[in-house]
């Protein structure tokens, strides 16, 4: 087989492949969007709940060892709530991180 | 109990071992962890053993998983992050293969136990903290002090940042565990509906079609979740490792 024949076959194959590919890239994006939306929802909710749980846990231990019940629980529950909100905003990519030149600005919104 | 949706998560001792009062028995969970490692290892070894320049189908699956994790790590943590590639790739393959093995009927799902996922998450956070302190010393604590915060607010912000940091292993482990647990329970419950409805005669059999359709659809969803959760676990590992490499906020 010489080069011209080979080029000809390659061109035909390219055409055949192009006709098989989806015309509209948007339609594929839609399917991907819903799958990663599902992942996003799970991620955000668990981030928020984890913040509150850890805050409450620290508050409970604080009270238990220092005998300040119920103030430690109250204060750390509120701090945990704030940390949960911070977690959610951060994983949603809503917080502009001060750049130090290496981090990509949108490094937190992978999915 | 054929219809008990929780029964599939019971731990049974296969080989009882007790050393110094500690229960170190080889359980069905241990068996499936060994199976997971063996499957992942054998797959990667056998598919790359022939190493064709033009990869076979199986070889390209191995290569794709390598490229996938490598790109994920490079995007999140830069080329410096590649020193953690063995850790991230092992974690990704372990979680993915464990999730997928759990999809076989009568198989045990290792990742549906929180202690397993929590151990994996603590491994990640332990690496982050140890590497951060080893590489940056006390500057690693700068992770908790954002720039440009007024002096009065610093204690409050630091407390919130510390809680946020401590909540990471929890959210990492709870997410994986809860997804696998909830998915498998839902599947079992819907599959149970099929059997109990079908015992009500002709009308029941007609009605049993609905939960059967649901079970088939959920099985597809569970395969998606199995992959997605392994992916999310690996992505978050990469992002946390990035904090260890570049702690300045």
């Amino acid at each position: 087989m010489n080069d011209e024949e080979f080029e000809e076959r390659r061109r035909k194959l390219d055409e055949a492949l192009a006709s098989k590919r989806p015309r509209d890239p948007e339609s594929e994006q839609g399917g991907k969007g819903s799958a990663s939306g599902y992942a996003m929802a799970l991620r955000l909710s668990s981030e928020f709940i984890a913040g509150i749980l850890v805050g409450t846990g620290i508050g409970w231990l604080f009270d238990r060892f220092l005998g300040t019940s119920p103030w430690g629980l109250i204060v750390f529950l509120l701090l945990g709530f704030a940390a949960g909100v911070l977690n959610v905003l951060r994983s949603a990519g809503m917080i502009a991180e001060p750049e130090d030149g290496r981090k990509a600005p949108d490094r937190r919104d992978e999915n | 109990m054929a219809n008990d949706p929780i029964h599939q998560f019971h731990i049974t001792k296969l080989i009882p071992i007790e050393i110094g009062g500690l229960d170190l028995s080889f359980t069905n969970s241990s068996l499936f962890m060994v199976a997971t490692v063996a499957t992942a290892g054998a797959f990667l070894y056998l598919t790359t053993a022939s190493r064709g320049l033009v990869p076979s189908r199986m070889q390209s699956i191995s290569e794709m998983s390598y490229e996938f994790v490598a790109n994920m790590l490079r995007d999140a943590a830069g080329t410096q992050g590649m020193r953690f590639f063995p850790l991230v790739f092992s974690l990704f393959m372990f979680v993915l293969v464990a999730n997928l093995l759990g999809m076989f009927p009568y198989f045990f799902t290792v990742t549906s136990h929180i202690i397993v996922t929590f151990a994996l998450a603590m491994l990640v956070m332990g690496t982050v903290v140890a590497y951060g302190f080893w590489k940056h010393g006390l500057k690693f604590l700068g992770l908790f002090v954002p720039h440009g915060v007024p002096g009065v607010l610093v204690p409050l912000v630091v407390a919130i940042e510390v809680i946020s940091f401590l909540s990471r292993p929890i959210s990492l482990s709870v997410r994986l565990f809860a997804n696998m647990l909830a998915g498998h329970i839902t599947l079992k419950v819907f599959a149970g509906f099929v059997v109990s409805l079908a015992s009500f005669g002709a009308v029941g059999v007609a009605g049993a079609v609905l939960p059967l359709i649901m079970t088939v659809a959920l099985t597809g969803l569970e395969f998606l979740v199995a992959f997605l959760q392994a992916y999310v676990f690996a992505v978050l590992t990469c992002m946390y490792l990035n904090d260890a490499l570049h702690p300045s906020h």
Side-chain angles (χ1 to χ4, degrees), chain B residues 13-151:
Chain B
K13 287 179 194 175
L14 300 179
I15 308 168
I17 306 168
E18 197 165 307
I19 300 169
L22 283 173
D23 190 4
L24 299 177
S25 306
F26 191 81
T27 61
N28 54 350
S29 181
S30 329
L31 177 68
F32 276 97
M33 280 187 225
V34 172
T36 303
V37 173
T39 310
F43 177 77
L44 290 174
Y45 179 75
L46 292 178
T47 52
T48 53
S50 59
R51 275 199 293 264
L53 185 60
V54 179
S56 63
R57 277 180 207 169
M58 286 299 152
Q59 190 187 339
S60 55
I61 295 178
S62 289
E63 288 178 0
M64 267 161 63
S65 49
Y66 173 90
E67 288 286 326
F68 183 65
V69 178
N71 286 335
M72 192 193 317
L73 187 54
R74 234 179 256 125
D75 285 348
T79 28
Q80 278 179 301
M82 286 307 281
R83 71 186 62 184
F84 291 114
F85 179 78
L87 173 75
V88 179
F89 189 67
S90 311
L91 277 174
F92 176 74
M93 289 308 280
F94 183 81
V95 174
L96 180 64
V97 174
N99 288 351
L100 289 178
L101 275 185
M103 289 306 296
F104 283 96
Y106 295 103
F107 274 32
F108 183 83
T109 319
V110 176
T111 43
S112 64
H113 278 261
I114 191 159
I115 191 63
V116 175
T117 59
F118 189 69
L120 292 176
M122 283 314 286
L123 176 72
V124 173
M125 295 325 281
T127 312
V128 168
V129 171
Y131 184 81
F133 275 117
W134 176 68
K135 193 77 184 167
H136 302 278
L138 286 179
K139 264 195 260 170
F140 179 63
L141 293 177
L143 183 65
F144 301 121
V145 191
H147 289 300
V149 174

Side-chain angles (χ1 to χ4, degrees), chain B residues 172-245:
Chain B
L172 198 57
S173 53
V174 165
R175 183 180 313 114
L176 177 57
F177 140 81
N179 269 292
M180 299 320 290
L181 185 82
H184 283 259
I185 290 180
T186 322
L187 262 184
K188 183 87 184 186
V189 167
F190 275 101
F193 283 164
V194 179
V195 179
S196 20
L197 270 177
S199 63
F200 287 132
V203 185
V205 171
V209 172
L210 291 174
L212 183 63
I213 294 170
M214 198 67 188
T215 312
V216 173
L218 278 174
T219 309
L221 183 71
E222 277 308 298
F223 275 108
L224 175 72
V225 168
F227 174 76
L228 216 55
Q229 287 307 313
Y231 170 68
V232 168
F233 198 94
V235 163
L236 289 174
T237 303
C238 294
M239 275 162 46
Y240 298 158
L241 287 171
N242 181 48
D243 281 345
L245 288 161

Side-chain angles (χ1 to χ4, degrees), chain A residues 35 38-39 42-43 46-47 50-51 54-55 58 76 79-80 82-83 86-87 90 97-98 100 102-103 107-108 110-111, chain B residues 76 80 156 159-161 163-164 166-168 170-171 175 179 225 228-229 231-232 235-236 239-240 242-243 246 248-249:
Chain A
Y38 179 70
L42 291 169
R43 218 177 111 186
S46 67
E47 294 277 4
V54 169
I58 292 177
F76 278 96
L79 284 176
L86 181 68
N87 280 349
R90 202 168 259 163
E97 304 266 338
D100 58 0
R102 346 182 44 96
K103 294 174 190 168
R107 71 188 180 96
R108 288 199 186 264
E110 270 85 4
N111 64 50
Chain B
Q80 278 179 301
L156 192 65
I160 291 174
E161 288 280 351
I163 294 176
S164 162
L166 291 177
S167 72
R168 282 172 176 186
I170 307 230
S171 69
R175 183 180 313 114
N179 269 292
V225 168
L228 216 55
Q229 287 307 313
Y231 170 68
V232 168
V235 163
L236 289 174
M239 275 162 46
Y240 298 158
N242 181 48
D243 281 345
H246 317 115
S248 51
H249 235 323

Side-chain angles (χ1 to χ4, degrees), chain A residues 16-107:
Chain A
L17 277 175
S19 67
K20 300 272 184 203
R21 286 199 183 107
R23 287 284 157 70
D24 188 11
E26 294 296 312
S27 62
E28 255 196 349
Q29 292 270 317
K32 269 186 176 173
S34 68
S36 72
Y38 179 70
M40 191 76 170
L42 291 169
R43 218 177 111 186
L44 296 186
S45 56
S46 67
E47 294 277 4
F48 185 59
I49 292 166
I52 294 178
L53 280 183
V54 169
T56 316
I58 292 177
W60 186 77
L61 287 174
F62 197 82
D63 280 348
R64 197 177 156 82
F65 289 108
L66 297 179
T68 49
S69 181
W71 296 107
L73 197 59
I74 293 171
V75 170
F76 278 96
L77 178 63
L78 292 174
L79 284 176
F81 187 87
V85 173
L86 181 68
N87 280 349
V88 168
L89 289 177
R90 202 168 259 163
S91 56
M94 298 284 193
I95 291 188
E97 304 266 338
E99 288 307 305
D100 58 0
R102 346 182 44 96
K103 294 174 190 168
D106 55 351
R107 71 188 180 96

